[in-house]
Amino acid sequence: MSPPPVDFFEASLGTSDSAVSSVLRKEFVRQEEGVELIASENIVSRAVLEAASCVLTNKYAEGYIGRRYYGGCEPSDDIERLAIERVTRLFNCPFANVQPHSGAQANQAVFFALLRPGDTYLSLALDEGGHLSHGAPVNISGKWFNPIHYGLDKTSQRIDYDALASLAAEHKPKLILAGGSAYPRIIDFARIGSIAKDCGAYFMVDMAHIAGLVAGKVHPSPLEHADVVTSTTHKTLRSARGGLILSKDEGIGKKINSSVFPGLQGGPLMHLIAAKAVGFGEALRPEFADYARAIIDNAQCLAQTLLSGGYRLVSGGTDTHLVLVDLSAKQINGKDSEESLERAAITCNKNSIPQDLQPPQTTSGIRLGVPAVTTRGMGLAEIGFIGEQIVKVLDGLASHGSAGNGDIEKEVRADIIKLCKRFPLYRHL
Ligand SMILES: *Cc1c(COP(=O)(O)O)cnc(C)c1O
């Protein structure tokens, strides 16, 4: 017998598709009961979530405001105008393109606008804190261009700016790219900007990880120094999932626009542009600066707790939302640590450390970030507690081998779930 027909416009997801709906329920419980320390993740407001599933998902709006290839685009124009007006105010620059589907697409669009295949550019090496889309051999940014990587000073584990300047003088790059996904320190944008000027290169900053800190004015803005700035919108910025390109140069802006569309993408994801606009609106409110400040305080607290527990941090600490733990002296690896912590309801990711002797599938580090737990309202007391639990689990791993200490994991898991119950997520879901 076939099941009774469902009402197409009225049936809820739970009624019309129990298979998908039950997995989503499971994911909600996972998010609510666990401590999320993946540095690139965050938790959006109910308002952003609502906008992300709005009726604009039905709309094609190829093109730009006032110049669309389809009819019926007036509301889409209004939404995109709101998003651009808010984000340019937030970062104090005249140009924004809010259409990139993701951070990696935003980077591709800049390369497509400013470089030709085979051109040379400089970027931070992936295993020293860079990003896949900054010239990894497996990525289009590495295959179709000629990336030269700068790295860190071996002692300070901060960017070696002198070596960067020498590379720039030697290779005469068309573009210098700054930014990364596992670099816990403030980058000297002024310094790299002046190196770029000296060799006639464009200066591009990918601020995907730190955009929310810049918006909250707890981190220097790259916009004063860079020709073009890319970002994701869903990390510390806490808006909908997607990408963003900013510039203070309207001429570069023009090139970026045609490179995003029709160069790289088709129709913009208008529902996500609506949700981006909501997130940008939230970031303009004074509470967001408090949030950004709390991220820094929490990250400092986590760093201090781990150091006190006997763990080494790459560069010795952090200026941002993340810490990179160097596990090499403890004879444990990143993969086992990630898995052991996950069994204890603490989610993070294994991460290569500078000069890592382990392959990328194993690594000698873990990356921990506090944007998501800070959004839940956790403060110094909770972060200190979480840091202590991490030390407990990792110590257990160090003394009990790669299978971890099951009893400690179980005990920590129970305490973490109890903690998380005090900081509930969306009550309407
Ligand atoms: C996360 C990240 C990206 C990629 O963003 P996606 O939306 O996952 O494509 C690009 N650059 C940096 C520095 C990042 O951290």
Side-chain angles (χ1 to χ4, degrees):
M1 240 189 44
S2 55
V6 294
D7 185 325
F8 186 82
F9 286 115
E10 296 308 322
S12 69
L13 180 63
T15 318
S16 99
D17 193 330
S18 59
V20 167
S21 163
S22 70
V23 179
L24 294 185
R25 188 72 217 162
K26 193 167 128 191
E27 171 62 6
F28 176 69
V29 171
R30 189 193 68 79
Q31 290 187 15
E32 184 159 71
E33 289 193 345
V35 154
E36 181 55 72
L37 294 179
I38 293 177
S40 47
E41 291 194 11
N42 210 328
I43 305 167
V44 298
S45 66
R46 174 178 175 164
V48 169
L49 203 57
E50 259 182 51
S53 62
C54 72
V55 290
L56 278 168
T57 194
N58 298 329
K59 187 65 196 124
Y60 248 112
E62 275 182 20
Y64 289 102
I65 298 167
R67 298 175 281 134
R68 306 281 185 184
Y69 289 79
Y70 292 87
C73 283
E74 205 184 307
S76 295
D77 280 359
D78 292 345
I79 284 293
E80 191 161 344
R81 198 176 291 112
L82 270 172
I84 290 173
E85 185 272 317
R86 289 176 181 180
V87 81
T88 50
R89 192 144 47 91
L90 188 62
F91 292 107
N92 190 26
C93 64
F95 170 82
N97 186 310
V98 295
Q99 292 193 4
H101 301 332
S102 71
Q105 298 260 64
N107 288 342
Q108 277 171 31
V110 174
F111 290 156
F112 192 41
L114 304 181
L115 303 179
R116 301 183 67 80
D119 273 353
T120 297
Y121 66 92
L122 299 189
S123 64
L124 181 62
L126 180 59
D127 54 1
E128 311 235 298
H131 188 261
L132 187 70
S133 64
H134 296 186
V138 292
N139 190 264
I140 189 168
S141 60
K143 281 191 195 295
W144 289 11
F145 302 95
N146 178 38
I148 306 282
H149 296 304
Y150 56 87
L152 309 180
D153 176 83
K154 300 240 178 332
T155 315
S156 68
Q157 298 188 307
R158 296 174 190 233
I159 291 170
D160 186 340
Y161 295 96
D162 292 334
L164 198 169
S166 309
L167 284 174
E170 180 189 345
H171 294 282
K172 309 248 173 319
K174 189 97 162 272
L175 180 147
I176 300 180
L177 170 52
S181 50
Y183 186 71
R185 295 300 184 173
I186 286 172
I187 296 170
D188 190 343
F189 297 127
R191 177 106 193 253
I192 304 182
S194 104
I195 294 170
K197 202 164 268 153
D198 286 347
C199 70
Y202 289 112
F203 180 31
M204 165 182 178
V205 174
D206 178 351
M207 64 168 181
H209 263 265
I210 55 168
L213 307 178
V214 173
K217 299 200 164 48
V218 296
H219 189 291
S221 172
L223 276 140
E224 290 168 41
H225 307 285
D227 297 301
V228 59
V229 174
T230 56
S231 186
T232 53
T233 43
H234 50 274
K235 296 180 182 174
T236 51
L237 190 50
R238 204 170 61 180
S239 186
R241 182 163 295 273
L244 169 70
I245 306 174
L246 303 169
S247 181
K248 56 181 195 293
D249 182 322
E250 304 263 17
I252 288 180
K254 252 197 163 95
K255 286 189 195 172
I256 295 291
N257 276 349
S258 41
S259 147
V260 172
F261 174 85
L264 206 56
Q265 296 186 171
L269 309 178
M270 288 312 305
H271 56 309
L272 289 178
I273 292 177
K276 284 176 186 174
V278 174
F280 299 155
E282 291 173 0
L284 282 164
R285 295 184 196 143
E287 305 90 271
F288 194 84
D290 299 337
Y291 168 61
R293 170 50 56 199
I295 288 179
I296 301 285
D297 293 345
N298 280 344
Q300 296 288 334
C301 171
L302 181 62
Q304 214 42 59
T305 312
L306 295 169
L307 289 169
S308 307
Y311 284 81
R312 217 199 139 262
L313 303 179
V314 169
S315 83
T318 181
D319 304 324
T320 64
H321 60 299
L322 71 87
V323 298
L324 192 54
V325 188
D326 174 354
L327 303 164
S328 56
K330 298 280 184 179
Q331 314 295 328
I332 55 178
N333 67 47
K335 181 173 184 285
D336 293 340
S337 302
E338 175 191 311
E339 288 169 3
S340 182
L341 286 165
E342 177 151 11
R343 289 190 290 270
I346 297 170
T347 315
C348 70
N349 62 283
K350 62 176 182 285
N351 210 103
S352 294
I353 57 169
Q355 320 294 319
D356 207 322
L357 297 174
Q358 299 285 343
Q361 305 88 314
T362 314
T363 80
S364 303
I366 48 170
R367 188 185 67 162
L368 307 169
V370 297
V373 285
T374 307
T375 291
R376 291 182 82 159
M378 294 184 188
L380 300 183
E382 291 78 24
I383 302 300
F385 177 76
I386 291 168
E388 285 163 10
Q389 305 315 300
I390 293 170
V391 169
K392 229 191 258 181
V393 171
L394 297 180
D395 282 353
L397 197 54
S399 55
H400 290 80
S402 68
N405 180 335
D407 292 340
I408 293 179
E409 287 167 3
K410 244 185 245 135
E411 182 195 316
V412 170
R413 182 182 184 85
D415 286 343
I416 290 290
I417 292 176
K418 208 156 79 191
L419 168 71
C420 288
K421 287 216 188 306
R422 288 174 36 223
F423 297 87
L425 307 184
Y426 321 100
R427 274 180 288 264
H428 74 293
L429 284 180

